[in-house]
C-alpha cells in the first residue's frame, strides 16, 4: 500500500519497488528482511509488472512478511 494524508495512492501486488531513502535509493524484492526506514524527496518506482512512478516529498516505509506499506508526507 502507498498511503498519503489524502488517501490511498496505490494498493496493488508488486514484483519490486525502489524507494528514495534519505541516504540514497534502495530496492525491495520478495523475501526482504523486515524493516522500517525514513524516505527522502525523490521518486518511488514500482513494478506491477508494468513500471509506475510516484514523486514524493518524503515519508517512511515498513516492510514485514512481504507486505510493503509506504506512508507519504
Amino acid at each position: 500500500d502507498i498511503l498519503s494524508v489524502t488517501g490511498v495512492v496505490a494498493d496493488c501486488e508488486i514484483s519490486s519497488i525502489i524507494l528514495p531513502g534519505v541516504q540514497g535509493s534502495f530496492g525491495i524484492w520478495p523475501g526482504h528482511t523486515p524493516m522500517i526506514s525514513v524516505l527522502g524527496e525523490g521518486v518511488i518506482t514500482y513494478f506491477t509488472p508494468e513500471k509506475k512512478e510516484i514523486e514524493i516529498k518524503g515519508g517512511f516505509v515498513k516492510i514485514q512478511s512481504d507486505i510493503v506499506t509506504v506512508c507519504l508526507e
Side-chain angles (χ1 to χ4, degrees), residues 1-67:
D1 296 336
I2 301 176
L3 311 169
S4 75
V5 293
T6 59
V8 177
V9 176
D11 180 12
C12 56
E13 295 278 328
I14 62 170
S15 57
S16 63
I17 187 168
I18 301 168
L19 299 159
V22 292
Q23 296 183 341
S25 295
F26 61 98
I28 300 169
W29 287 264
H32 196 283
T33 302
M35 67 180 269
I36 295 175
S37 183
V38 176
L39 301 176
E41 186 172 347
V43 176
I44 294 175
T45 304
Y46 62 100
F47 301 87
T48 64
E50 62 191 57
K51 180 180 176 181
K52 297 186 178 185
E53 295 183 332
I54 300 170
E55 289 190 36
I56 68 166
K57 300 268 189 222
F60 72 91
V61 62
K62 176 178 141 186
I63 300 106
Q64 187 171 7
S65 303
D66 283 338
I67 297 172

